[in-house]
Amino acid sequence: MGVTMDGTKQQRRGNTRQRIQDVALELFAEQGYEKTSLREIAERLDVTKAALYYHFKTKEEITVSLFEDLTQPIEALIEWGRQQPHTLETKQEIVRRYSEALAGAEPLFRFMQENQATVRELRIGDTFKDRLRGLRDIIIDPEAPLVEQVRCVSAMFTLHAGMFVMQDLEGDPGKKREAVLEVALDLVTQAHRGAHGTE
Amino acid sequence: MGVTMDGTKQQRRGNTRQRIQDVALELFAEQGYEKTSLREIAERLDVTKAALYYHFKTKEEITVSLFEDLTQPIEALIEWGRQQPHTLETKQEIVRRYSEALAGAEPLFRFMQENQATVRELRIGDTFKDRLRGLRDIIIDPEAPLVEQVRCVSAMFTLHAGMFVMQDLEGDPGKKREAVLEVALDLVTQAHRGAHGTE
Amino acid sequence: MGVTMDGTKQQRRGNTRQRIQDVALELFAEQGYEKTSLREIAERLDVTKAALYYHFKTKEEITVSLFEDLTQPIEALIEWGRQQPHTLETKQEIVRRYSEALAGAEPLFRFMQENQATVRELRIGDTFKDRLRGLRDIIIDPEAPLVEQVRCVSAMFTLHAGMFVMQDLEGDPGKKREAVLEVALDLVTQAHRGAHGTE
Amino acid sequence: MGVTMDGTKQQRRGNTRQRIQDVALELFAEQGYEKTSLREIAERLDVTKAALYYHFKTKEEITVSLFEDLTQPIEALIEWGRQQPHTLETKQEIVRRYSEALAGAEPLFRFMQENQATVRELRIGDTFKDRLRGLRDIIIDPEAPLVEQVRCVSAMFTLHAGMFVMQDLEGDPGKKREAVLEVALDLVTQAHRGAHGTE
DNA sequence: GATGAATGAGATTTCATTCAT
DNA sequence: GATGAATGAAATCTCATTCAT
């Protein structure tokens, strides 16, 4: 990995920060935040622990930086969603785009989902929950019956589940993602109809 | 030590094991498994760390014992489910009972959900996933279209989400639980119909 | 040291806390607080670093405990002084007793004097300065001319200096201490006369 | 970098060495030598740590340079003193001039006084003690009775104390300094008389 | 005259665990 | 049924220092 024909470590200059982030995310997602020590990250990168501290002030800051870099798509999505009319089509589009965003930042979401207890203390936790709430508030109609609101949350959660739990369902991954998306779309559609009639 | 007449330290004899489990679960759920040290548990109980080791061989064993005690209802549910015919009614009843089981062991599930990364390494993780898979296989029809299978998983996941994420929806907790259950029931019902026609 | 005829470590039971304090004070006085690592203390005692943490929560706490144990004589002296009339004899007696107190806790005072910068941050610093101020306020007459007040402070400082700086004056230690005491007594006597006339 | 027109970064060229010394001394005096890291110094100067190493080979060398620059007045004083006759007037003049020298290099002396433990290892420590001994030997008469010798040391120490401990005496700083000087002068005068009669 | 990137050594602290009593 | 004393391993973090550019 990253070793060239002459055996030297190529690409080592100028991208260490990025490499730290990559390895950290990978290990955090794989083994959990607490189980992943800076020693381990450093060893994988073949640098010293102190090098990590040159690039990030604390372990927490590594994590924060991961969030900042990777939650931008969601941020953008919320922004977009806010400016659309609250129609069924918008909601469906949100679900579709959210599904994509999740797929694009799978390890981060996996990390978050599997380390909630940790993330919660990480002061970024709130920020992120806020964002999700933002999304939710776009597809949820606060006037709608409670059941329909639940259906919307369920839709989003189905997408999350799609990333992990569904993995051990049989079937082609692509098809599975489609199926998950379909279920989620159905849920918001039902929610919308339940709230506004079949329009 | 062992004072009795005034009742303060009464009830302390013979149930320490239980008390350890209670406090451990509480702290694990609240702060996460890794963040909770045996020192902390011992301090809350006003005993020494060594006392914990009289009752449990390792920290892991405390956790395992929690699972063993608390997953019996699920175990029983699966057993019951296996002996029923695979009708819609059975599936609905499974969902209903699962919902109750979750409510009855909330902290444990919360602990599991928020510490997946940890639980996974805990060798109990598999056991538990196996159980959930057992449940799933009862409400899922393996011949059914993929979308309907997803719908079933989504139903179960909706119940999970109901415990935590939905908490910050507005509304009376009782009503919320009902709404969650309704959505989950809808999902398995739709799944069933989608697989077998409207019968 | 502490090794008996059969060569085993005698007295190792029950007095580790004390031994930690002894060694710590010795090293702090000899090399300075910051230069003395817990590793070093532990090694000298032939225990592990973790053993130190069994007895003291932090490095700072070791220091605090040293102060608490060793400043009691001063405390007592102040208490005594407060209840005496503000006569010349009292002041002289204070100086005499203070001189003794200093001699009895030499390493601690040496540590304090040579590590003021550190001690200041140690939150015990204030406490100690308060005590010294307490002493000062007994021998100083706040109405007296400034010069006489200075003379009193100078008396106390002379005693301090006596412990360290004077060490490299030639002469028998006992005689030196006497000489130092005499100078200090002269100073408070002059101060008293300067303020109240030769009475 | 190197901006000039607006004056902000002006004067930054060519005097970095000086600025390092200033900030270092300030921080050393304020927080102690060990507690002050090169990172901190660099940050205050808005340069990198490496820049410090362009100007000084080690942290110790920064300190040494401070001493060299700031102890020259004392050096000169000793030289002057050596060539004077050992009369009372000379001794008084030495005390006066020493008092001034102290005032002119307050932070350095404060640093020295509060970090003796550190300074002692700094190999400059000896040098400095040597100098102070030099001074002492001028005002002390080695044939004089021990008490009178102590009085002389006490005089010098009173001047030191004047810088710090006396600070929290009430009164105008200028007057306090005068008072301190007066006490010190008294002490050498008494010492001289005690040794040679009232001449 | 300085920076960016890194290192090696070491500090304090915490943890799960053990065992004699 | 528990405690008191300790350990070994490891974690996070900091520091002075180096060196190619």
Side-chain angles (χ1 to χ4, degrees), chain D residues 33 36 51 55 65 74 106 116 131 136 145 147 158 163 198:
Chain D
Y33 180 78
T36 304
H55 292 283
S65 83
I74 306 262
E106 211 225 271
Q116 285 174 69
R131 284 170 192 170
R136 195 190 65 190
V147 189
T158 297
M163 281 200 295
T198 326

Side-chain angles (χ1 to χ4, degrees), chain C residues 30 34 113-117 120 133 136 147 150-151 154 157-158 161 165-166 168 182-183 186 190, chain D residues 30 32 34 113-117 120 133 136 147 150-151 154 157-158 161 165 168 182-183 186 190:
Chain C
E30 196 180 298
E34 327 270 2
Q113 189 121 92
E114 303 199 340
N115 294 274
Q116 284 174 69
R120 212 172 341 129
R133 253 190 284 269
R136 195 191 65 189
V147 189
V150 167
R151 239 184 273 276
S154 178
F157 232 68
T158 298
V165 191
M166 312 268 187
D168 54 51
E182 192 180 329
V183 172
D186 270 14
Q190 287 171 44
Chain D
E30 198 180 298
E34 324 271 1
Q113 188 121 93
E114 303 199 340
N115 295 273
Q116 285 174 69
R120 208 165 352 122
R133 253 189 286 268
R136 195 190 65 190
V147 189
V150 168
R151 242 185 273 274
S154 177
F157 235 67
T158 297
V165 191
D168 54 51
E182 190 179 331
V183 172
D186 270 16
Q190 287 172 43

Side-chain angles (χ1 to χ4, degrees), chain A residues 114 120 136 154 158 168 186, chain B residues 114 120 136 154 158 168:
Chain A
E114 303 199 338
R120 216 176 334 135
R136 193 191 66 188
S154 178
T158 297
D168 54 51
D186 269 16
Chain B
E114 301 198 341
R120 216 180 330 137
R136 195 190 66 189
S154 176
T158 297
D168 54 49

